[in-house]
Amino acid sequence: MVIYPIRRDIDGQGTQLVNWVAEIQSPRNVMQDWNLDGRLEDFLPTFAQWKFDWLDVAGMLREADTVLEYPMVDRDPLPYWTAGRTTLLGDAAHPMYPRGSNGAGQAILDARTLAGCLKREIDAAAALKAYEAARLDAANKVVISNRSLGPDAILRTVHERTGDKPFARIEDVISRAELDGISENYKRIAGFEREALRQRPSLV
Ligand SMILES: Cc1cc2nc3c(=O)[nH]c(=O)nc-3n(C[C@H](O)[C@H](O)[C@H](O)COP(=O)(O)OP(=O)(O)OC[C@H]3O[C@@H](n4cnc5c(N)ncnc54)[C@H](O)[C@@H]3O)c2cc1C
């Protein structure tokens, strides 16, 4: 379950606008339909007991204005994106599993790289080739990495070690070093490792 506030006090009475995602493995939606209405009964039972002093999760789910159901799908990495004066970018180039919350991040990296290449190269076709050379392997590695859990490996490890029982402190289950190791590895693959970002010149 992923929950995050989007906007404060939407009605002058302190109500927050919240986005939430319930991730459930299910054989439904094999048609890869992105416009399917979600059904409360498919996922509410899983979260029925989730009532904290700071949020009634089941109540929030029940009162949602809209529920949509998305399939968990991607596409195999492509061998090239550019043909003459045409190229691909973002989801059109590398649709990926939404693990690591990274699809839009990679699309932004594409856009900035493309802008930089168009600025430096006079010949448009050469600029598109240079953009592809800079981004294709990097983005394809994220697609592949997201197939093998990516940063969600933390969730699996904690689930296995606790036998799905509640715990008070995550440090009692998984060490800070292990957490950092998994995060840093994914950041390196996805291109947002802090030191690397500090050192490399602007893409544009
Ligand atoms: C539920 C969900 C949660 C997500 N969460 C995250 C997250 O937390 N972090 C993250 O980084 N990414 C996230 N993503 C992924 C992210 O939304 C996408 O990777 C990103 O939007 C891709 O951007 P894009 O510009 O390549 O494509 P899109 O955002 O799909 O833009 C393509 C645009 O082209 C338009 N279009 C299509 N066909 C035509 C046509 N023939 N003529 C004119 N216009 C056309 C479409 O209407 C659309 O506006 C999430 C995706 C989903 C579905």
Side-chain angles (χ1 to χ4, degrees):
M1 167 64 72
V2 183
I3 306 168
Y4 49 90
I6 294 178
R7 201 178 306 146
R8 272 181 201 284
D9 197 11
I10 51 170
D11 55 2
Q13 296 178 24
T15 308
Q16 292 203 338
L17 183 64
V18 169
N19 190 43
W20 53 260
V21 184
E23 296 182 22
I24 300 280
Q25 229 169 347
S26 150
R28 194 167 118 92
N29 203 358
V30 289
M31 296 303 288
Q32 304 188 7
D33 181 351
W34 274 265
N35 298 300
L36 199 64
D37 285 332
R39 298 186 310 207
L40 213 51
E41 64 269 27
D42 284 340
F43 60 90
L44 187 62
T46 307
F47 304 100
Q49 308 305 321
W50 285 38
K51 192 164 185 176
F52 307 103
D53 51 8
W54 46 275
L55 184 66
D56 173 5
V57 174
M60 178 190 73
L61 299 179
R62 257 187 239 106
E63 283 169 30
D65 293 336
T66 316
V67 180
L68 293 170
E69 179 175 325
Y70 295 112
M72 185 81 159
V73 288
D74 68 359
R75 291 287 182 274
D76 287 336
L78 292 172
Y80 66 91
W81 300 336
T82 298
R85 293 167 64 89
T86 307
T87 196
L88 299 175
L89 176 153
D91 276 9
H94 44 69
M96 58 183 68
Y97 284 146
R99 291 193 179 113
S101 302
N102 218 339
Q106 294 302 311
I108 292 165
L109 286 173
D110 290 348
R112 286 184 61 82
T113 304
L114 180 59
C117 291
L118 287 168
K119 199 165 132 190
R120 282 184 292 274
E121 285 277 354
I122 294 168
D123 177 44
L128 300 195
K129 272 286 175 202
Y131 149 74
E132 179 185 296
R135 288 291 304 148
L136 185 94
D137 280 352
N140 283 348
K141 277 191 184 128
V142 183
V143 173
I144 296 298
S145 168
N146 282 7
R147 284 182 177 175
S148 61
L149 278 186
D152 286 9
I154 293 173
L155 303 180
R156 186 191 54 196
T157 305
V158 171
H159 177 80
E160 284 169 359
R161 290 186 190 170
T162 59
D164 207 20
K165 298 278 184 308
F167 55 90
R169 293 173 65 246
I170 194 164
E171 291 81 3
D172 297 337
V173 180
I174 184 167
S175 71
R176 177 53 53 191
E178 278 179 282
L179 287 171
D180 289 348
I182 294 170
S183 300
E184 288 306 315
N185 184 46
Y186 189 69
K187 284 183 198 169
R188 193 174 37 74
I189 294 167
F192 44 79
E193 201 182 20
R194 187 180 293 189
E195 262 324 296
L197 287 179
R198 278 213 184 102
Q199 285 169 20
R200 73 153 168 70
S202 167
L203 298 173
V204 184

